[in-house]
Amino acid sequence: MKRLFLFSTLLVFLFSSVSADELYEVNYNIIPLPKEVKTDPSKKVFFMLKEGTGICYDQSNAECTRIAQFLKEWTKEATGLTLQLTPDDKNAMIQLRLVSPAAPKGKKSKKPVALTEQQKESYTMKVTEKGVELTAYEPVGLFRAAQTLRKCLPERPDLGMMPYVEITDQPRFTYRGVMLDCARHFFSVEFIKQFLDVMALHGCNQFHWHLTEDQGWRFEVKALPDLAVKGSVREKTVIGPSRMRIYDNIPYGGYYTQEECREVVRYAAERYINVVPEIDMPGHMQSALHVFPNLGCTGGPYPVAPHWGVMRDVLCGGNPETLTFLKTVFGEICDVFPSPYIHIGGDECPKERWQKCPKCQAKIKELGLTDESNVKVEGGDTRGSQDGRSPENKLQSYINHEIEQFLASRGRSLIGWDEILAGGLTEDAIVMSWRGTKGGVAAAKQKHRVIMSPNVYAYIDHPQLKDYGKQPRTTDSYIVSCSKIYSFEPLVPEELSGEEGDYILGVQANLWTEQVAYPEHALYQLLPRLASMSEVQWCNPEQKDFENFKTRLPRLEKLYDRIGVVYCPEIE
Ligand code: ACM
Ligand code: ZN
């Protein structure tokens, strides 16, 4: 007993003698910050991680097995220690345990307790002298717990002493997304896997995959093979500012086969990330028009766009073949992606072709769409799209309605950018608010679900530092710094009542890639801004404190170094 006391005193001494270098210690000040972290320095209780420490879990459960394996990898990566996967409860020091939720007090029921989405992701992590215990109701909660333990680990095996703690945690929002535009520039499946790993590290659970654009079609549609083969290739790409029209004259292409998409879905699901595919329509469709010029109002020809911006040529809203085409594409999207949400784009669809097109105008007449363009709908910078309730905007809404019905027949809901408000929202539409928060506020007031992704807080294609010279060239009209992102409050309490706020599903960061052609650049844009965004997505407002966040960031950046991801070394 005495010897044990001496030993522990020695360890405490050892621990405190190195505590100046916080980066290497066990440390519970992680990102995103858990809901509750109870430490007690007066309890001189700690657990020492060692070579061969056991990780115990239910080996009959495939998900628990995978999570235990992740934890083993992450411990090795952090400390160099090799832990043992074991079913042996008695000797194992790290335990992953699924527990049943308790029935509310006073209610005895044989029925399983229904959990909220947040409770499904909730977990506890307890460190005592006996070891580390991770508990959750569902495997996803255990995965979040394992990520938390990973972020707490020391970086050296000799400092593997973990002081007493009790962490209780669950996310604030159920939708915690990141969008990657793989259409302006193509990113390999290998990189997308790395991107998903980084998302999981930050507690994100929705990967919005932007798959089609004027500049390239990146999703294989088996019924329309030319779409990807021909629509994915542009002859050249503009260099520098788009308006200068100076090109590199190098053909650029790439698309994902359905098999590759399924592999991404599988990899993401193992990390508890849902993949939300986007087919952006009826605007941003010039790559499809290149292959099927009959689907445009003018008949073409149309090149796959070699420069950036909002293109005038869009799918013809009056041609019945447009809907046939869209149903074929969305049908195959539903076959490949099990996501409950399918993104249909809907942004930046100029209506000048529709205003002049006999087919579009005939359809407007047939549907009896009246002109209420004086009725302005929420929107800021509309960049070529009308924001009033014009007949053309209503025609777009009609197309959305058809696609909504189609997706509903496959059990899915539609997400659209906030321009879909203009012609009138379809019944079940979820609005992704990008031109500020106004569209999201308007949609929530109409009792529609909303994902907040306002450009000035969430567009991480923009620079993160004031000094443009310090960072790679990007879209440069405004700065989206870490502190700016951090300051975002998605429920917009000054405009939404508590009940209306319930329609806000969550928040998303968007990485457009007109100026981002390489994986390292994409990661530089993403990090550490995703750390900042992760606290908007995960933490309650009263927990948030940017100064405190800054003190916690260097430790996470050490982890970025360890896993070999690029990040911007400064924050503002
Ligand atoms: C968008 O940024 N056009 C959604
Ligand atoms: Zn037309």
Side-chain angles (χ1 to χ4, degrees):
M1 188 66 200
K2 206 169 175 183
R3 265 194 17 224
L4 189 67
F5 177 76
L6 274 173
F7 179 62
S8 57
T9 314
L10 178 72
L11 284 177
V12 168
F13 171 73
L14 235 174
F15 184 72
S16 52
S17 68
V18 292
S19 64
D21 194 351
E22 287 189 3
L23 298 177
Y24 294 100
E25 283 177 5
V26 168
N27 182 322
Y28 302 125
N29 300 322
I30 62 164
I31 294 174
L33 195 61
K35 289 278 166 307
E36 201 178 3
V37 180
K38 272 200 236 160
T39 52
D40 186 349
S42 71
K43 277 195 182 158
K44 298 250 180 286
V45 164
F46 56 84
F47 166 64
M48 189 76 189
L49 267 181
K50 290 193 290 284
E51 185 75 13
T53 294
I55 304 178
C56 163
Y57 58 98
D58 175 0
Q59 297 197 330
S60 67
N61 184 314
E63 287 181 80
C64 291
T65 305
R66 195 167 48 233
I67 294 162
Q69 277 159 352
F70 279 139
L71 195 53
K72 182 175 171 180
E73 276 168 39
W74 295 335
T75 320
K76 178 88 185 167
E77 164 196 282
T79 63
L81 295 171
T82 304
L83 306 194
Q84 293 287 329
L85 299 183
T86 166
D88 180 356
D89 219 350
K90 284 192 289 304
N91 300 320
M93 299 302 239
I94 300 180
Q95 302 214 12
L96 308 184
R97 286 203 303 119
L98 286 176
V99 294
S100 302
K105 274 206 180 99
K107 286 198 180 162
K108 271 204 179 143
S109 161
K110 289 220 169 76
K111 270 203 258 157
V113 177
L115 297 173
T116 64
E117 291 305 308
Q118 281 94 339
Q119 284 170 332
K120 285 179 191 166
E121 294 194 76
S122 68
Y123 67 89
T124 65
M125 174 174 132
K126 194 167 173 182
V127 178
T128 64
E129 70 279 19
K130 294 203 195 88
V132 184
E133 188 186 56
L134 307 178
T135 61
Y137 300 129
E138 305 246 334
V140 58
L142 278 186
F143 181 76
R144 304 276 173 244
Q147 287 280 11
T148 287
L149 176 53
R150 174 194 194 184
K151 286 181 260 191
C152 297
L153 289 172
E155 287 198 353
R156 288 171 19 195
D158 56 326
L159 299 178
M161 190 168 61
M162 306 190 66
Y164 164 86
V165 78
E166 271 183 55
I167 293 177
T168 314
D169 199 12
Q170 69 174 44
R172 179 182 185 199
F173 291 106
T174 56
Y175 187 109
R176 305 181 302 279
V178 184
M179 191 249 356
L180 181 64
D181 170 6
C182 292
R184 267 50 174 269
H185 282 103
F186 177 80
F187 292 89
S188 68
V189 168
E190 189 192 358
F191 175 66
I192 289 172
K193 289 181 175 178
Q194 186 181 31
F195 196 88
L196 290 164
D197 282 329
V198 170
M199 283 179 61
L201 176 67
H202 294 82
C204 301
N205 67 348
Q206 305 289 333
F207 173 54
H208 171 175
W209 199 2
H210 189 76
L211 284 165
T212 62
E213 263 303 336
D214 298 301
Q215 295 82 8
W217 185 281
R218 313 261 173 245
F219 173 66
E220 177 192 29
V221 178
K222 291 205 190 276
L224 305 168
D226 278 355
L227 196 49
V229 173
K230 296 186 178 159
S232 63
V233 183
R234 56 179 179 258
E235 278 182 5
K236 55 188 180 180
T237 304
V238 73
I239 304 169
S242 206
R243 69 191 132 77
M244 308 291 272
R245 299 289 196 263
I246 299 171
Y247 299 95
D248 63 4
N249 295 324
I250 302 169
Y252 184 93
Y255 67 88
Y256 305 101
T257 63
Q258 292 197 358
E259 204 178 315
E260 287 172 321
C261 294
R262 288 198 166 93
E263 171 64 10
V264 167
V265 167
R266 185 198 61 75
Y267 191 89
E270 287 184 351
R271 287 145 186 83
Y272 299 93
I273 295 172
N274 173 53
V275 182
V276 182
E278 179 184 358
I279 300 293
D280 197 351
M281 67 90 191
H284 289 291
M285 268 280 164
Q286 206 169 294
S287 58
L289 294 182
H290 172 68
V291 185
F292 301 115
N294 57 313
L295 297 181
C297 294
T298 65
Y302 311 99
V304 177
H307 46 255
W308 323 123
V310 176
M311 309 295 153
R312 275 192 210 101
D313 287 299
V314 303
L315 291 178
C316 175
N319 183 347
E321 287 174 40
T322 291
L323 282 177
T324 311
F325 166 79
L326 289 173
K327 288 178 188 174
T328 303
V329 171
F330 281 113
E332 294 200 20
I333 281 279
C334 289
D335 292 342
V336 172
F337 295 96
S339 172
Y341 320 116
I342 305 292
H343 206 304
I344 62 150
D347 59 321
E348 297 177 321
C349 180
K351 299 297 179 339
E352 54 187 275
R353 298 288 192 233
W354 289 13
Q355 283 169 324
K356 297 202 181 92
C357 169
K359 285 195 206 119
C360 287
Q361 290 304 315
K363 191 73 192 175
I364 284 171
K365 211 160 166 202
E366 179 198 317
L367 295 169
L369 305 178
T370 53
D371 185 359
E372 297 172 282
S373 42
N374 56 333
V375 180
K376 294 287 175 225
V377 189
E378 303 315 324
D381 162 28
T382 54
R383 290 163 76 182
S385 39
Q386 301 169 334
D387 62 358
R389 201 143 278 178
S390 66
E392 290 76 20
N393 278 342
K394 291 181 183 176
L395 183 57
Q396 183 172 346
S397 183
Y398 160 76
I399 295 171
N400 294 347
H401 175 77
E402 290 290 308
I403 299 305
E404 180 172 275
Q405 296 287 303
F406 176 80
L407 293 175
S409 75
R410 306 286 299 260
R412 320 302 178 87
S413 295
L414 146 179
I415 302 180
W417 299 106
D418 59 55
E419 283 93 334
I420 64 168
L421 278 148
L425 286 178
T426 53
E427 202 181 332
D428 184 41
I430 302 171
V431 171
M432 189 168 271
S433 190
W434 74 277
R435 297 172 302 167
T437 53
K438 283 206 175 104
V441 167
K445 285 188 186 295
Q446 292 176 40
K447 301 193 187 312
H448 279 260
R449 289 172 289 170
V450 170
I451 296 150
M452 285 294 188
S453 191
N455 47 3
V456 293
Y457 295 101
Y459 270 36
I460 56 171
D461 52 322
H462 284 256
Q464 47 197 318
L465 306 173
K466 283 190 211 78
D467 183 348
Y468 286 0
K470 279 188 178 168
Q471 54 207 311
R473 187 174 179 283
T474 48
T475 321
D476 57 8
S477 47
Y478 50 87
I479 293 160
V480 179
S481 62
C482 270
S483 57
K484 179 81 184 179
I485 295 172
Y486 203 85
S487 68
F488 180 51
E489 172 41 49
L491 295 193
V492 205
E494 61 279 16
E495 304 210 41
L496 291 176
S497 71
E499 215 168 274
E500 289 164 346
D502 291 345
Y503 288 95
I504 312 296
L505 295 182
V507 194
Q508 181 172 289
N510 292 336
L511 181 45
W512 300 104
T513 60
E514 285 95 332
Q515 311 298 336
V516 180
Y518 301 102
E520 291 78 7
H521 188 180
L523 289 170
Y524 185 98
Q525 294 300 119
L526 184 70
L527 301 174
R529 286 188 285 189
L530 187 56
S532 196
M533 178 53 93
S534 76
E535 298 224 329
V536 179
Q537 295 174 329
W538 189 280
C539 300
N540 286 340
E542 63 277 10
Q543 288 182 282
K544 284 172 63 198
D545 174 347
F546 189 63
E547 290 308 310
N548 181 275
F549 168 82
K550 282 199 288 192
T551 66
R552 288 179 281 123
L553 186 60
R555 194 176 160 78
L556 184 61
E557 289 178 336
K558 275 291 217 185
L559 207 160
Y560 295 162
D561 289 334
R562 218 151 64 208
I563 60 175
V565 292
V566 176
Y567 58 95
C568 175
E570 282 182 42
I571 67 165
E572 287 177 356

